[in-house]
Amino acid sequence: MLQLLAACLFFTRLPFWRLAEVPSSCFKRVVPYWPLTGWLTAGLSVLVWYLSSLIVPTGIALVFAILTRLFVTGCLHEDGLADFIDGFGGDNSRESILTIMKDFHIGTYGVIGLIGYFTLFYALLASLPLEIAGTIWLVGDPLAKSIAAMTINRLPYAKKETEAKNQVVYTRMTPPGICDLYIRRTVTRMLVTFLSVCRSRFVSCWYLVCINRIHKKRYRAIRETVAERFSCCAN
């Protein structure tokens, strides 16, 4: 339970610290719980998107959802992306790349990378219907975190704990933790399939209802026209 709370404290800026005091050692064993925090951050963002779309246009509601994600996560992912682009764009040597990535300042490459990131993020989601884009967002966040967890479990660290930016080196997952992570990924994929089937059935039912209403209107119009013509002939 403390590991899950530590994962929520690391990935969000929500006041989970009020629930319990988490020892620093728990932050090293949070990797299996990363996907669960993805459900939280993505769920809040999609919820804001849906509720806002009931009041304002969908495009503006999407901006509110993106801002919600930034506020909830404290721009953690965007900060890491900017560091990554600055590091690999600024130099070619391993030592220089790691030094640039650890720097708290943002460079030209990082700014351009964030502009491209937010542009693609908005354009791709806005080009899809809200229910499809919301499902992708809701499932993609925990799925991406599970992939990142497996990457940490397989690749060695580039720096030591004292040299790391967050002063934490995560403990590799044990076989039970890996099995648990794969189970969560399987559940996520099953949820995607279930939501897709529900959406297709909903769309089919909605289509039939619309067609039925159209046919009723046309039938009513034809019946009224025929009645008018018969009344004219009778007169």
Side-chain angles (χ1 to χ4, degrees):
M1 184 63 184
L2 289 178
Q3 284 82 6
L4 176 59
L5 192 59
C8 293
L9 286 171
F10 178 75
F11 276 107
T12 70
R13 294 298 177 265
L14 300 177
F16 287 105
W17 51 270
R18 295 184 178 180
L19 299 178
E21 184 177 355
V22 181
S24 58
S25 59
C26 293
F27 289 92
K28 300 180 180 180
R29 301 189 296 272
V30 298
V31 177
Y33 300 93
W34 281 8
L36 296 180
T37 61
W39 287 110
L40 174 62
T41 56
L44 290 175
S45 302
V46 174
L47 181 63
V48 169
W49 189 9
Y50 174 74
L51 295 178
S52 301
S53 65
L54 301 176
I55 305 173
V56 298
T58 307
I60 300 177
L62 177 56
V63 175
F64 290 158
I66 295 175
L67 291 176
T68 300
R69 182 176 184 271
L70 296 178
F71 287 132
V72 170
T73 62
C75 301
L76 178 68
H77 306 85
E78 290 72 22
D79 179 64
L81 177 63
D83 289 340
F84 171 80
I85 298 175
D86 272 335
F88 281 88
D91 208 325
N92 296 326
S93 63
R94 179 178 182 274
E95 292 75 14
S96 298
I97 290 174
L98 293 176
T99 302
I100 295 173
M101 292 177 67
K102 190 178 179 181
D103 189 3
F104 288 95
H105 299 87
I106 185 171
T108 305
Y109 288 103
V111 173
I112 295 175
L114 288 179
I115 293 174
Y117 162 74
F118 282 114
T119 303
L120 285 174
F121 192 12
Y122 180 87
L124 291 174
L125 290 179
S127 63
L128 298 172
L130 192 151
E131 62 273 10
I132 298 179
T135 303
I136 293 174
W137 193 345
L138 183 63
V139 177
D141 199 332
L143 189 60
K145 284 184 171 59
S146 66
I147 296 173
M150 293 304 301
T151 303
I152 286 180
N153 203 61
R154 293 178 179 272
L155 298 179
Y157 267 90
K159 287 188 175 184
K160 298 179 181 179
E161 182 175 355
T162 55
E163 301 173 344
K165 191 173 182 178
N166 58 354
Q167 301 296 315
V168 174
V169 171
Y170 300 106
T171 305
R172 294 181 180 272
M173 289 184 292
T174 59
I178 296 175
C179 294
D180 187 28
L181 184 63
Y182 273 110
I183 291 173
R184 292 172 186 170
R185 289 177 63 179
T186 304
V187 171
T188 301
R189 291 172 181 173
M190 292 175 62
L191 180 61
V192 174
T193 305
F194 174 75
L195 292 176
S196 300
V197 172
C198 290
R199 177 188 171 276
S200 61
R201 290 186 177 181
F202 172 77
V203 171
S204 300
C205 294
W206 177 79
Y207 177 77
L208 291 176
V209 170
C210 291
I211 292 297
N212 186 33
R213 289 182 178 179
I214 292 173
H215 283 307
K216 283 185 176 180
K217 290 181 179 179
R218 289 181 177 177
Y219 176 73
R220 188 181 301 113
I222 293 172
R223 186 176 60 183
E224 291 176 355
T225 303
V226 172
E228 289 178 359
R229 291 183 179 180
F230 271 109
S231 61
C232 291
C233 292
N235 295 332

